[in-house]
């Protein structure tokens, strides 16, 4: 399910809109993932506090959203653009790729929550496709 | 037997008592047909589903969205026995409608997104967890009679 020119345009436009609140999006999405899908907490057992909105969660939410921002920039070539991140996830973090879908779902929920007027069905479609491609690029180096 | 906490029960009852079933039904189903276009396979006689605008304005989609939400209402009113309440519906979806059960999750996700948009900040992680647990039970019950 590759990205059309229209999908890319929609993703870029939506991202420009949400950028000012990127930190909130990251925090909310990560908080929800950890709370609603508790099995994801297993990757963060080294954190002091895994409750929604805690300091480690906020900090990491920002990091993740910055990664997605990078993906938006590299939207025309996700596989080479996200190469370093893919190697990180494959060889060091070793996050089971099934979790990428879980995080993506929570990002979409948060976008709907924070930007109900902008997160139209078309935007939802484009973002869902985009996040699926990002997940694919991130898992590229796994095996 | 599904165990519901007081918070989960109250949350589900609250969400659905305040919900505009007609609106949410139409929005969730339309979104599903737009975001996951392969789901259109079940609606061959719905007329114009060629693009997002057509789907959003399609009266048959709106009418069917309403049917789906009223079906969901039965689970809301019978939270302690959704399995039994949905036995016939499950047979219907399997034997008559021939719906791939994976689609239930897709519609469920769209319902979650629409609910999040409606509730905004009130859709806290705790509320989301309760809502998604409810949908998971509904989906499991709808899949139960498939063979």
């Amino acid at each position: 399910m590759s990205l059309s020119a229209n999908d890319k345009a929609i993703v870029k436009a939506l991202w420009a809109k949400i950028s000012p609140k990127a930190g909130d999006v990251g925090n909310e999405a990560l908080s929800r993932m950890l709370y609603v899908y508790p099995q994801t907490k297993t990757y963060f057992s080294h954190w002091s506090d895994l409750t929604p909105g805690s300091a480690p969660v906020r900090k990491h939410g920002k990091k993740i959203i910055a990664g997605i921002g990078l993906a938006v920039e590299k939207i025309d070539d996700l596989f080479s653009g996200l190469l370093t991140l893919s190697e990180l996830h494959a060889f060091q973090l070793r996050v089971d790729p099934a979790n990428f879908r879980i995080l993506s779902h929570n990002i979409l929920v948060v976008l709907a929550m924070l930007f109900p007027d902008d997160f139209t069905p078309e935007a939802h479609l484009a973002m869902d496709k985009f996040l699926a491609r990002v997940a694919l690029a991130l898992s590229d180096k796994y095996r | 037997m599904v165990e519901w906490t007081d918070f989960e029960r109250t949350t589900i009852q609250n969400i659905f008592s305040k919900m505009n079933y007609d609106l949410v039904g139409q929005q969730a189903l339309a979104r599903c047909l737009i975001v996951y276009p392969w789901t259109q396979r079940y609606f061959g006689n719905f007329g114009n589903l060629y693009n997002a605008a057509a789907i959003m304005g399609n009266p048959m989609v709106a009418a069917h969205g309403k049917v789906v939400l009223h079906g969901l209402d039965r689970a809301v009113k019978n939270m302690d026995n959704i399995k039994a309440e949905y036995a016939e519906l499950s047979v219907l979806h399997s034997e008559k409608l021939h719906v791939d059960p994976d689609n239930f999750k897709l519609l469920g996700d769209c319902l979650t997104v629409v609910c999040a948009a409606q509730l905004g900040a009130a859709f806290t992680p705790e509320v989301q967890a309760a809502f998604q647990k409810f949908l998971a039970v509904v989906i499991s019950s709808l899949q139960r009679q498939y063979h």
Side-chain angles (χ1 to χ4, degrees), chain B residues 45-111:
Chain B
N45 63 333
F46 269 33
N48 187 356
L49 297 177
Y50 299 133
N51 52 48
I55 294 172
M56 290 297 282
N58 186 311
M60 290 182 83
V61 171
H64 197 69
K66 208 169 144 178
V67 167
V68 170
L69 255 290
H70 284 281
L72 212 51
D73 186 65
R74 289 170 58 182
V76 176
K77 304 247 173 354
N78 290 283
M79 279 176 77
D80 288 313
N81 212 348
I82 298 177
K83 203 165 64 182
E85 184 63 32
Y86 272 19
E88 274 175 45
L89 270 175
S90 179
V91 172
L92 175 79
H93 283 76
S94 165
E95 302 304 298
K96 187 159 175 250
L97 305 175
H98 305 293
V99 177
D100 180 344
D102 284 347
N103 292 281
F104 302 149
K105 189 171 185 307
L106 299 179
L107 181 57
D109 285 350
C110 286
L111 203 49

Side-chain angles (χ1 to χ4, degrees), chain A residues 32 37 105-106 112-113 119 124, chain B residues 31 117 120 123 126 128 132:
Chain A
R32 275 150 208 287
Y37 302 86
H105 167 73
N106 285 292
M113 225 182 79
F119 199 60
H124 181 167
Chain B
R31 212 165 259 258
F123 200 64
E126 294 81 4
Q128 182 181 344
Q132 291 197 200

Side-chain angles (χ1 to χ4, degrees), chain A residues 49-68:
Chain A
D49 187 353
L50 286 163
T51 54
S54 71
V57 171
R58 282 194 168 275
K59 184 167 168 216
H60 200 67
K62 269 201 187 122
K63 215 187 232 182
I64 294 180
I65 221 75
I68 307 225

Side-chain angles (χ1 to χ4, degrees), chain B residues 18 20 23 26 33 66 71 73 76 78 86 88 108 113 118 127:
Chain B
K18 296 188 184 128
N20 179 338
L23 181 70
Q26 179 267 333
L33 296 169
K66 208 169 144 178
D73 186 65
V76 176
N78 290 283
Y86 272 19
E88 274 175 45
V113 164
Q118 295 270 306
V127 168

Side-chain angles (χ1 to χ4, degrees), chain B residues 1-6 8-9 79-80 133 137:
Chain B
M1 249 299 278
V2 184
E3 298 283 339
W4 301 103
T5 63
D6 289 339
E8 286 165 349
R9 266 183 215 279
M79 279 176 77
D80 288 313
K133 177 176 167 178
V137 174

